[in-house]
Structures are given as structure tokens and as C-alpha cells.
Amino acid sequence: MKSIIAIASFTFFLSCEADDTPDTITTTTKPTSTILQEVKKDLNGYKIAFGDTRNIYMMDPDGSNVVELADASPVSGYVSWSPDAKHVYFASAKGPAGSAWEAFRVNVKTKEVSKISNFGLDVRSLGVSPDGKTLAISVMTGNSNIDGNNDNLTKFSTNLYTIPMATVESKINSGTQIVISDLTAIQSSPNEDQFWYEELSWNHDAANPVLAYTKTWRYDEDEVSYTHAYTIKPDGSSNTLISENKDQPIWSIDNKKLSFLDLSYYSFSDSSIKQITVSGISKEVSGGSLSPKGGAYIVFEIGDENRKGGIAKTTEASNIGFQLQTSVDVYEPRWSPIPFN
């Protein structure tokens, strides 16, 4: 498939009162019509899961009620929700020194953490299909936490696998973990080709599960590296290039858009890429995720190091973004697919 070249650029806006410090929210002085009150009302019951590179958290859409779900230290990331919103999945190097990044999940009500994999290799991202039948998982061909491997990741690649959730659940119930031989590769390349298949995101259509992922050449070499976004079926069929030079695809809850790291998104309605522009925040904004109920809001990261969470309303009335007042850093904010009960 040819890369998408039709591009439409526009700015998304929100209505708000003027503020002398647009990157900071002081809720005690804001009028009741601000975006924070609006999003909490409009998306009551929905949650946002995220990490801070150490622990896994959940919060309300306005950034309040931050709850620590799991101690995933010393390092963790790649959060995703189960389709029933009962679990948050993540990868972590939790364990003795030199442990590889393995797959975990946490029950958002009981906070029970289950270790899913025992690869001895780094898990790069993971997620459960909308019908609950398949776990997709990206696994690196090495362990970045030993032998100085993190200083030269170009000698590794990642492969994209699937495994039936029935097998995963059986392993968890028996107190064991899945291993590489349990997996089926749907995208893979030898190390020397230097391709990485990762950044996984399932759509939300249980009748037609589709996985988005990225294919990166020469990961960690910024001067020559490139990343393209694809979609694929659980059985490895219908592998489709969505857009070149786009990273971190995230499906919107209504399945009509695929957002990217740079706050652009691919619109399935007209096969074009559109750009979301957020102003009023001095630091870089990236990694946007469109909300449930038609993507009326977008939550995103602010800054590169020590990232904060931000939110904007995706209407055409204004273009101001707000920083959420969380006391912890916010990496990879992800909306729950359904309200949290």
C-alpha cells in the first residue's frame, strides 16, 4: 500500500477564561466552566492509566484522584488497558538487578499484580485485543539491563508476537509465566536487518480486532532511523502501512482515528492525516490519546524529562491546553475503553 500523502492541518480549540499562567491549573481560582470541570462531568466514570517510569497509576480525567496501582520499580512503562477495564497491563524490570523487562498486569480494584512472562528478554509493549482473545506482545532479542546492552541497542531487534489469552490466563492461574515458545510471531526480522516492531495499540471493535504497531529501522540512531505505522490482524494478515514517519499509534475509542506521537492523527473516514495544535503550554506536548465519547478531549504528555500530563478539548472554539495538577510524572496516559465501575 502506498503511504498516505493527503494531509489536512487544522487547530483544535477549547473555550476558557483568560489565565496569566496557562501551563498551570489552580483549580481553586478557576471558574466552574473550565475544561477540568467539563471533562470530569462529560467523562464521569472513565479513568486514565499511566506510569511515571517507576510505578503504575490511575486518575480521573481531570487529573484528580491519583491512585497508585502497582509498585513497578525500578523501571516500567508501556501501559495499556484490558478491554473490560479490569486490568492495566505494563512492562517492568521488576526483580533482581539485571532483570529483563517482563510483562505484568494489575487488577485495578484489588491491586493484585501478576507476572505474565518469563522471557529473560525485554518486553517492549503489550496489549489485549478488544474481544479479549489475544495478547499481542513485542519482545526484544536481548536484555537491555545486562552487559551494557542499553548503550548499543542497534545490535538487537524486536519481534511482534501473539498468544491466546486462554493460555495467558491458564499460566497466571497456575502461578507460572508464558515463555517465548508459547508465542506465535506475526512480524519478525533477523537482528542484522535492524527492524523493531513495537508501540502496540488495539482498536476497540470486538467483532473486528485490528492491531496498530510501528516498524522502526535502526532504533536509537536518530540521524538515520525512521519509523512507520502499520495495522495488522491478530493472525498476521492484512498487514497495512498507514503512514510513513509516524510514531506511537493509538486508536481512538470510536475506532475512527489513529493518533500519533506528534499529536497528528490518521482519519479513517477520508484517509488523511490531520494535525492537532495545542497552545498555551511552553513545553513540548506529545503522545496524545483521544478520549471516549467521540474524542472530545485529548490527553497528552508535557515536556521530555519529568513529563507532566496535559489536556485540551478538541473543538474549534479556542486552542488552549492545560497542565493537570498531578504530584507525579505522567508517561503514556491511556483512557479506559469503558467507564470504571
Side-chain angles (χ1 to χ4, degrees):
M1 178 180 177
K2 292 183 179 179
S3 61
I4 303 302
I5 58 174
I7 300 197
S9 179
F10 59 89
T11 302
F12 277 159
F13 301 96
L14 70 98
S15 296
C16 67
E17 298 292 330
D19 190 334
D20 294 332
T21 56
D23 17 357
T24 303
I25 294 297
T26 306
T27 55
T28 57
T29 61
K30 287 286 180 181
T32 57
S33 61
T34 66
I35 186 175
L36 298 185
Q37 283 76 24
E38 292 174 15
V39 69
K40 191 160 188 176
K41 177 182 177 182
D42 294 345
L43 293 172
N44 182 41
Y46 287 92
K47 297 288 185 177
I48 296 171
F50 64 97
D52 68 350
T53 75
R54 296 171 301 280
N55 302 317
I56 307 300
Y57 300 89
M58 179 175 67
M59 66 181 173
D60 287 349
D62 64 347
S64 65
N65 297 323
V66 176
V67 175
E68 182 179 325
L69 297 176
D71 177 355
S73 57
V75 62
S76 62
Y78 309 115
V79 298
S80 64
W81 287 89
S82 63
D84 59 8
K86 292 181 178 179
H87 294 95
V88 170
Y89 287 74
F90 62 95
S92 171
K94 189 178 180 67
S99 294
W101 289 64
E102 300 285 0
F104 294 82
R105 78 178 183 188
V106 58
N107 184 301
V108 296
K109 286 190 175 180
T110 67
K111 299 185 184 179
E112 179 183 3
V113 176
S114 300
K115 184 179 181 182
I116 297 173
S117 71
N118 189 22
F119 301 143
L121 305 169
D122 285 352
V123 172
R124 296 288 300 185
S125 48
L126 70 164
V128 180
S129 61
D131 58 4
K133 294 181 178 180
T134 305
L135 176 71
I137 190 164
S138 169
V139 185
M140 195 172 86
T141 54
N143 176 354
S144 63
N145 291 320
I146 60 173
D147 302 328
N149 285 341
N150 199 49
D151 296 329
N152 183 19
L153 292 177
T154 58
K155 61 184 176 181
F156 302 112
S157 61
T158 72
N159 298 317
L160 176 53
Y161 302 94
T162 58
I163 180 172
M165 276 303 297
T167 303
V168 175
E169 297 290 356
S170 176
K171 295 274 189 174
I172 291 174
N173 291 336
S174 66
T176 58
Q177 295 86 37
I178 61 175
V179 294
I180 290 293
S181 59
D182 294 321
L183 307 178
T184 299
I186 60 172
Q187 287 293 297
S188 62
S189 301
N191 275 0
E192 55 267 28
D193 286 356
Q194 298 188 49
F195 284 118
W196 291 54
Y197 306 92
E198 55 179 353
E199 300 291 356
L200 311 182
S201 174
W202 286 100
N203 70 350
H204 305 276
D205 183 357
N208 182 32
V210 179
L211 179 70
Y213 73 95
T214 57
K215 178 181 179 181
T216 299
W217 182 63
R218 298 184 74 174
Y219 181 90
D220 231 17
E221 289 194 355
D222 293 343
E223 293 184 359
V224 297
S225 178
Y226 63 77
T227 298
H228 301 334
Y230 292 78
T231 58
I232 194 170
K233 294 289 185 70
D235 62 0
S237 65
S238 302
N239 189 45
T240 304
L241 174 65
I242 295 298
S243 181
E244 295 184 347
N245 302 310
K246 292 296 181 183
D247 202 352
Q248 199 181 88
I250 306 171
W251 283 92
S252 63
I253 305 298
D254 62 7
N255 303 309
K256 295 180 179 180
K257 303 177 181 70
L258 199 62
S259 62
F260 301 112
L261 183 67
D262 63 356
L263 297 195
S264 64
Y265 69 85
Y266 177 79
S267 170
F268 287 92
S269 63
D270 60 9
S271 301
S272 68
I273 292 179
K274 298 176 171 63
Q275 182 67 50
I276 300 171
T277 302
V278 175
S279 68
I281 295 177
S282 59
K283 295 183 178 180
E284 178 185 10
V285 298
S286 63
S289 179
L290 294 165
S291 74
K293 296 189 176 181
Y297 302 88
I298 182 168
V299 64
F300 46 82
E301 298 174 357
I302 298 174
D304 187 16
E305 298 297 329
N306 305 117
R307 301 173 197 175
K308 301 301 178 184
I311 195 166
K313 192 174 181 182
T314 54
T315 68
E316 296 185 25
S318 180
N319 66 344
I320 305 297
F322 292 102
Q323 179 176 315
L324 302 178
Q325 291 301 284
T326 57
S327 60
V328 295
D329 293 343
V330 177
Y331 287 69
E332 303 165 343
R334 300 289 185 267
W335 297 94
S336 64
I338 60 175
F340 178 77
N341 298 314

